[in-house]
Amino acid sequence: MAILIKTADEIEKMRVACRLAAEVLEMIAPYVVAGVATEELDRICHDYMVDVQQAIPAPLNYRGYPKSICTSINHQICHGIPSEKKLKNGDIVNLDITVIKDGYHGDTSKMFLVGEVSPPAKRLVDATYEALFLGIAEVKPGGYFGDIGHAIQTHAEKNHLAVVREFCGHGIGKNFHEAPNVLHYGKRGEGDMILPGMIFTIEPMLNLGKRHMKILGDGWTAVTKDRSLSAQWEHTILVTDDGYEILTLRGEER
Ligand code: MF3
Ligand code: CO
Ligand code: CO
């Protein structure tokens, strides 16, 4: 499947869906504290999307996924399923939100620090955020998807962190996941050319230990094989005529 170029009308709908996804992360922030069960965070986000935003939580029933958001704690890389398990002091947790509004998807995630977090955990979370933004900075017409992966991999390796290879960013629009696969590693000039009107996510997952992962028995939760900590941040990006627009940018990032 070719990489779709969005029309002006589609771009406007993507702006709306992405703003809503960002607003869910802003809304939920005060609830992400020690003692809260991740299924409680899921319920609050679900009700906000459905009742306040009149939007659809994209993960719910997506390929059999049972909840409305993903909550990935500590050595969980991604796709953690909300449960009765409570967050505790020192945890790092990723909340990944995807909403569907007017038929279009907005996808974004951020790391939350629960109480006092260890220095290595903080370093991992910060370096992963920097890697996301170094990847985003490569987005411009005439560049290549490999430029994004290369920037992320270079920053990870400089910080002695490993890039998870089994998951990648993705084109997004009417479909949750569409072409291209946006790799978080690679070489400059590799892959497809980046063109105006493309919309895709960048969502690097970096580990304190080795890059290898496994999937738990629930069929979803990806964890580091060596049980080292993992962090992820995600934005949805529009390619403009002279660079990019971060469609899921939050107020705290402006
Ligand atoms: N939001 C994830 C992504 O960034 C996908 C989650 S799929 C789910 O692509 F089914 F686990 F929700
Ligand atoms: Co995504
Ligand atoms: Co996501």
Side-chain angles (χ1 to χ4, degrees):
M1 187 52 185
I3 304 174
L4 298 171
I5 304 295
K6 269 67 177 181
T7 65
D9 180 62
E10 288 183 294
I11 289 169
E12 209 35 64
K13 288 177 175 167
M14 284 299 289
R15 282 202 182 95
V16 173
C18 288
R19 178 169 48 73
L20 294 179
E23 286 174 0
V24 175
L25 285 178
E26 294 177 328
M27 178 280 300
I28 199 65
Y31 298 96
V32 186
V33 293
V36 73
T38 49
E39 67 187 6
E40 176 71 0
L41 300 175
D42 178 76
R43 186 190 60 75
I44 297 166
C45 290
H46 171 276
D47 291 354
Y48 190 78
M49 288 184 258
V50 171
D51 299 335
V52 179
Q53 297 183 329
Q54 276 138 344
I56 299 166
L60 191 57
N61 302 317
Y62 177 77
R63 298 178 184 225
Y65 187 78
K67 294 286 185 179
S68 296
I69 68 171
C70 298
T71 54
S72 305
I73 307 169
N74 295 336
H75 69 294
Q76 298 178 347
I77 296 167
C78 64
H79 304 164
I81 302 175
S83 73
E84 63 292 333
K85 196 181 156 81
K86 292 183 162 95
L87 296 179
K88 59 180 195 307
N89 186 51
D91 283 346
I92 59 170
V93 59
N94 175 277
L95 267 53
D96 193 339
I97 307 292
T98 312
V99 311
I100 309 172
K101 182 71 171 182
D102 209 359
Y104 287 82
H105 293 71
D107 189 6
T108 186
S109 81
K110 73 171 269 193
M111 297 300 297
F112 293 86
L113 309 177
V114 181
E116 306 274 280
V117 160
S118 74
K122 179 80 166 74
R123 182 173 70 76
L124 169 68
V125 167
D126 290 348
T128 307
Y129 188 75
E130 292 157 10
L132 168 60
F133 275 79
L134 289 166
I136 292 171
E138 296 295 329
V139 176
K140 53 180 161 311
Y144 291 86
F145 282 95
D147 305 349
I148 299 170
H150 181 260
I152 292 168
Q153 182 178 8
T154 301
H155 192 66
E157 287 172 358
K158 200 181 285 176
N159 287 277
H160 310 285
L161 300 170
V163 180
V164 174
R165 296 196 176 218
E166 289 82 355
F167 301 99
C168 50
H170 49 92
I172 183 166
K174 277 188 198 151
N175 305 297
F176 195 160
H177 298 103
E178 58 186 47
N181 287 331
V182 181
L183 304 184
H184 302 121
Y185 59 91
K187 297 198 181 76
R188 225 163 239 303
E190 276 180 348
D192 287 301
M193 189 183 281
I194 298 170
L195 297 171
M198 290 180 175
I199 301 183
F200 51 85
T201 74
I202 305 178
E203 47 183 298
M205 287 142 274
L206 303 189
N207 301 343
L208 265 186
K210 297 202 191 309
R211 70 174 182 83
H212 304 96
M213 65 116 213
K214 62 180 186 185
I215 305 286
L216 296 187
D218 61 21
W220 282 100
T221 312
V223 300
T224 56
K225 245 187 187 163
D226 62 9
R227 296 188 63 85
S228 66
L229 292 176
S230 187
Q232 178 179 31
W233 297 81
E234 174 176 26
H235 273 310
T236 300
I237 311 295
L238 163 70
V239 186
T240 61
D241 289 331
D242 57 0
Y244 60 84
E245 182 179 324
I246 305 176
L247 301 181
T248 45
L249 204 65
R250 297 180 299 284
E252 67 191 2
E253 297 179 295
R254 279 177 222 282

